[in-house]
Amino acid sequence: MKKTINILVSLVMLAAMVSCNPGGDKKANKGQGGLATNAAEKVYVAPGEHDEFYAFISGGFSGQLSVYGLPSGRLFKVIPVFSQDAEKAYGYNEETKPMLETSYGFVPWGDAHHPDISQTNGELDGRWVFINENNTPRIARVDLTTFETAEIIEVPNSAGNHSSSFITENTEYVVAGTRFSVPIPQRDMPIKDYKGNFKGSLTFISVAPDTGRMAIKFQLMMPGFDYDLSHPGRDKSHGWFFFTTYNTEEANTLLEVNASQNDKDFIAAVNWKKIEEYVNNGGGTKVPTNYSHNVYSDETHMATSTTIDEVLTVDPLDVPGAVFFLPTPKSPHGCDVDPTGEYIVGNGKLSADLTVHSFTKMLAAIENKKFDGEAYGIPILKFEDVLAGTVKQPGLGPLHTEFDGQGNAYTTFFISSEVVKWKLDTWEVVDRQPAFYSVGHGMIPGGNSRKPFGKYFVSLNKITKDRYLPTGPEVTQSAQLYDISGDKMELLLDFPTIGEPHYAAGIPANIVAKNSKQLFKLSENKHPYATLTDADARIERNGNEVHIYMTMIRSHFNPDNIEGIKVGDKVYFHVTNHEQDYDVPHGISMIGANTSELLIMPGQTETFVWEPKLPGVWPFYCTDFCSALHQEMQGYVRVSPASSDIKLKWSLGED
Ligand code: K7E
Ligand code: CUA
């Protein structure tokens, strides 16, 4: 009981510090760093010049991924991933609706946290960005030639898909660990029977080397803890994956107290190569389940959703030597591996010190079978045997750590609202800078690869309060850019973000920009409803269903006069953009259509549905200001009563 009270007291103290720190000392903090120096020059990217880095910043509860330039902090694009997006008709047009299909039906919203860029030999290769969705467990792959979501795979037997989507150093796997343990398979049972009965699944999704296509390879069925974050081993520890856990108490209520009882939780070390071998040799158990796999094609310009009905599960006890627990104080959040693969940093949220484990020591302890008991049959290594060192009292509420590739680590502290730079090997703190305010993740471009680009650090903040003009009760979240090229970090820039920026991934622009597609070739358009020549523009009726094969080019639609549509029809506009120039999309909107307008790229076909309710003559128009005669880019549809016998008729330029 005393312990409970102590923890409560300390939690109350922490809460008080959270609430007073951001506003408390604002006069003193204001402008710190940025104004005193030539910071403006360092972030200034002259008109027409390009930024040095791309930053892909998660939108959190917006479900999307936004693309910024560094050092300018300019926003280039919001890539719709897990949420419908009116700007791009994503999730509204017929082609992309299947992307948001799940085993729970159409889910047009998501909570996106951790982008990670594909790697080859431990270095960023800039082909894809992966990102997780927490609430309806899913992983998406964004193609960096189109900057569009190419694929979404649902993760069955998972809940709160948080310890994801991190990738191994040759993009062999993208990992999806469950935050919440649940009954597997799901069933009706008392919540109080959680302990010992719920399971936590860690899912390894293979990525095809040439296409990026994802497939669930296996799910490791772990004890019923919360699996919070993860990172792959790299270089010497390639082949392993590390996951922080909390709630090793397996509490099912008032977790803020009940999941803070154990002095140490664990980092789970998983030898995925060993399990892969076991699975390749026929190991594991196929169990029935249901999940969606949605793939978008740049040839047909459409997505298809497939339901898969089984998954391969692996019991860790069936693969001896594959899973171990490293004791880690106290409810760790971030789980970060340094560029050499030697150090595994566990950031105990309620711990005074940062714990760093040694991969080499871990292997030796395993070799010598020096265990300190077991949990559900999984060996627990001795804390002292795997400990590389501790960073003493670096700050309050450590969350995440990044690396600059020069032997320094940068840990974010939510409660004391700062970024702390410390040295790997000596564990000494060498610098600290305040963050405004309450930083979550930090990001160094390539910071989770063997080769970080240690020039900038971006802090991704939860609270902004007085930093920007007020906008009512809801104020912007933000990021801050620090120059870390010198001994001391220097704050250069604040910039607002869209949604809540959890994690981000950065990459030198020159790796990605050269591969960026400028248009889709019309001659390669395999959309089943594409209209490749003007001669093919037409309308077909099939009962109440009407299909309009329409083209668009500066500055008209073909056809632009349509008659013979009737009330009660379901009208599909399949519209093909005939432009073959860079940056000439056209849009189309139809009065009364309750899908969003389309924005169609050169060479692409998209479809929306319109169900006219009233007789009349109804206009449609281009929604993207595409030429001097954009306002002339319009047309009419005549709608007749359901009983009329007006024949289908379409034309362009006729009277
Ligand atoms: Cu720390 Cu979802 Cu990575 Cu946010 S999580 S901060
Ligand atoms: Cu086409 Cu405006």
Side-chain angles (χ1 to χ4, degrees):
M1 189 61 199
K2 192 153 173 223
K3 195 170 181 190
T4 308
I5 289 168
N6 275 340
I7 284 164
L8 271 174
V9 167
S10 60
L11 285 173
V12 167
M13 280 168 56
L14 293 185
M17 294 171 91
V18 174
S19 56
C20 74
N21 184 287
D25 202 14
K26 64 183 160 192
K27 287 254 161 55
N29 284 339
K30 204 141 200 190
Q32 196 161 7
L35 289 182
T37 67
N38 60 346
E41 250 170 59
K42 290 188 178 174
V43 300
Y44 184 67
V45 178
E49 299 286 305
H50 288 176
D51 279 280
E52 188 181 348
F53 292 93
Y54 285 103
F56 298 91
I57 300 185
S58 77
F61 43 71
S62 86
Q64 318 293 47
L65 179 67
S66 32
V67 187
Y68 292 81
L70 300 179
S72 71
R74 296 181 296 187
L75 172 66
F76 302 143
K77 182 172 186 176
V78 175
I79 302 172
V81 184
F82 296 113
S83 301
Q84 285 179 309
D85 185 331
E87 186 189 5
K88 297 170 185 76
Y90 179 85
Y92 290 102
N93 63 30
E94 297 305 302
E95 284 77 8
T96 54
K97 276 183 189 168
M99 291 302 279
L100 301 179
E101 283 299 333
T102 74
S103 63
Y104 304 92
F106 182 76
V107 178
W109 172 88
D111 182 16
H113 280 221
H114 306 124
D116 204 10
I117 297 170
S118 56
Q119 296 184 19
T120 303
N121 296 324
E123 295 182 17
L124 302 183
D125 63 25
R127 297 195 290 167
W128 307 298
V129 183
F130 297 85
I131 188 166
N132 63 317
E133 206 276 89
N134 281 308
N135 184 51
T136 309
R138 287 173 282 175
I139 301 281
R141 179 173 56 87
V142 171
D143 183 328
L144 288 185
T145 65
T146 57
F147 285 63
E148 284 173 7
T149 303
E151 185 179 5
I152 295 180
I153 194 166
E154 192 181 353
V155 185
N157 297 324
S158 177
N161 172 41
H162 196 256
S163 36
S164 60
S165 54
F166 303 105
I167 56 149
T168 54
E169 69 172 28
N170 285 301
T171 319
E172 296 97 334
Y173 291 98
V174 53
V175 149
T178 196
R179 176 170 153 208
F180 307 112
S181 283
V182 289
I184 297 178
Q186 271 292 3
R187 59 193 178 275
D188 176 16
M189 62 178 282
I191 299 170
K192 69 170 177 48
D193 296 343
Y194 173 161
K195 195 166 188 164
N197 291 312
F198 286 20
K199 290 254 177 253
S201 66
L202 306 179
T203 304
F204 284 71
I205 299 168
S206 64
V207 179
D210 38 346
T211 61
R213 185 72 78 101
M214 296 184 283
I216 295 181
K217 180 85 172 178
F218 61 88
Q219 289 195 309
L220 192 60
M221 291 298 162
M222 297 285 286
F225 310 150
D226 287 50
Y227 296 85
D228 202 11
L229 276 149
S230 64
H231 264 103
R234 55 181 60 99
D235 207 341
K236 66 164 73 165
S237 51
H238 179 56
W240 289 80
F241 225 104
F242 304 94
F243 297 82
T244 42
T245 69
Y246 66 99
N247 194 23
T248 51
E249 297 85 350
E250 297 180 74
N252 58 279
T253 183
L254 197 63
L255 264 64
E256 63 173 315
V257 175
N258 295 328
S260 304
Q261 298 300 312
N262 289 349
D263 188 45
K264 296 192 176 62
D265 296 282
F266 301 124
I267 285 179
V270 175
N271 186 332
W272 58 260
K273 278 224 165 129
K274 202 165 214 157
I275 300 172
E276 179 187 60
E277 195 184 304
Y278 167 78
V279 163
N280 285 345
N281 288 323
T285 311
K286 284 191 173 145
V287 301
T289 183
N290 244 323
Y291 65 96
S292 294
H293 185 198
N294 311 329
V295 180
Y296 184 84
S297 157
D298 280 334
E299 285 178 353
T300 62
H301 301 287
M302 346 175 110
T304 44
S305 178
T306 312
T307 301
I308 300 173
D309 60 8
E310 64 176 18
V311 68
L312 187 71
T313 61
V314 173
D315 180 339
L317 301 189
D318 290 340
V319 196
V323 184
F324 300 91
F325 286 133
L326 283 58
T328 306
K330 228 187 119 109
S331 302
H333 186 55
C335 182
D336 299 291
V337 179
D338 87 305
T340 68
E342 169 63 10
Y343 297 121
I344 303 127
V345 184
N347 304 314
K349 299 188 295 285
L350 302 175
S351 161
D353 304 328
L354 284 180
T355 304
V356 186
H357 297 299
S358 155
F359 178 71
T360 312
K361 286 186 168 182
M362 181 192 93
L363 288 187
I366 293 170
E367 183 75 34
N368 299 328
K369 297 206 161 43
K370 289 181 77 179
F371 302 137
D372 196 8
E374 38 105 334
Y376 294 100
I378 295 172
I380 302 171
L381 299 167
K382 276 211 180 83
F383 178 68
E384 296 74 21
D385 288 346
V386 294
L387 187 69
T390 48
V391 184
K392 294 280 179 218
Q393 311 229 322
L396 290 172
L399 290 186
H400 301 280
T401 300
E402 291 273 299
F403 307 91
D404 64 5
Q406 279 130 44
N408 301 303
Y410 300 73
T411 301
T412 55
F413 290 83
F414 178 83
I415 295 168
S416 52
S417 189
E418 60 189 334
V419 183
V420 174
K421 177 180 176 182
W422 51 275
K423 275 203 161 347
L424 292 157
D425 285 335
T426 66
W427 327 118
E428 63 185 313
V429 171
V430 290
D431 191 24
R432 60 178 70 236
Q433 284 293 326
F436 306 92
Y437 305 97
S438 294
V439 51
H441 279 266
M443 182 275 278
I444 292 172
N448 280 302
S449 70
R450 279 202 222 169
K451 192 184 153 199
F453 301 85
K455 183 170 181 184
Y456 297 115
F457 179 94
V458 179
S459 76
L460 300 151
N461 303 333
K462 306 299 186 189
I463 295 170
T464 51
K465 292 208 173 175
D466 54 12
R467 298 293 284 187
Y468 297 94
L469 288 174
T471 50
E474 198 206 347
V475 291
T476 189
Q477 279 87 10
S478 92
Q480 291 185 292
L481 184 74
Y482 297 81
D483 179 346
I484 56 166
S485 59
D487 286 345
K488 297 280 170 199
M489 294 177 269
E490 185 192 357
L491 176 58
L492 301 179
L493 182 72
D494 283 21
F495 59 99
T497 60
I498 291 181
E500 183 184 348
H502 283 267
Y503 198 24
I507 182 168
N510 61 21
I511 300 177
V512 173
K514 59 176 189 279
N515 300 325
S516 196
K517 227 180 207 157
Q518 299 201 330
L519 50 83
F520 298 103
K521 287 206 179 112
L522 189 61
S523 56
E524 292 170 4
N525 182 331
K526 301 253 162 43
H527 193 296
Y529 292 95
T531 311
L532 298 183
T533 69
D534 269 318
D536 295 329
R538 66 193 186 277
I539 303 179
E540 290 173 359
R541 176 182 283 284
N542 179 8
N544 280 346
E545 221 178 83
V546 177
H547 292 270
I548 301 176
Y549 295 74
M550 182 182 274
T551 68
M552 56 191 353
I553 196 163
R554 279 164 288 179
S555 298
H556 60 264
F557 296 96
N558 184 15
D560 69 355
N561 276 217
I562 295 168
E563 301 199 353
I565 304 295
K566 295 182 231 177
V567 171
D569 282 348
K570 193 168 185 186
V571 183
Y572 290 81
F573 283 76
H574 308 287
V575 191
T576 303
N577 183 347
H578 274 199
E579 304 283 355
Q580 291 288 271
D581 274 344
Y582 188 26
D583 200 13
V584 194
H586 294 282
I588 180 169
S589 261
M590 178 75 229
I591 188 170
N594 57 11
T595 49
S596 155
E597 88 277 5
L598 307 183
L599 183 67
I600 307 170
M601 297 304 128
Q604 195 175 32
T605 304
E606 289 191 19
T607 302
F608 73 93
V609 180
W610 177 50
E611 296 180 70
K613 303 282 187 306
L614 289 171
V617 178
W618 306 101
F620 58 92
Y621 68 97
C622 174
T623 46
D624 184 291
F625 208 108
C626 50
S627 71
L629 296 175
H630 155 80
Q631 288 297 81
E632 281 70 15
M633 198 166 165
Q634 63 180 56
Y636 285 106
V637 183
R638 174 181 173 187
V639 177
S640 306
S643 57
S644 85
D645 56 3
I646 306 264
K647 288 273 161 303
L648 271 181
K649 207 175 116 189
W650 60 92
S651 63
L652 167 72
E654 284 168 24
D655 251 331

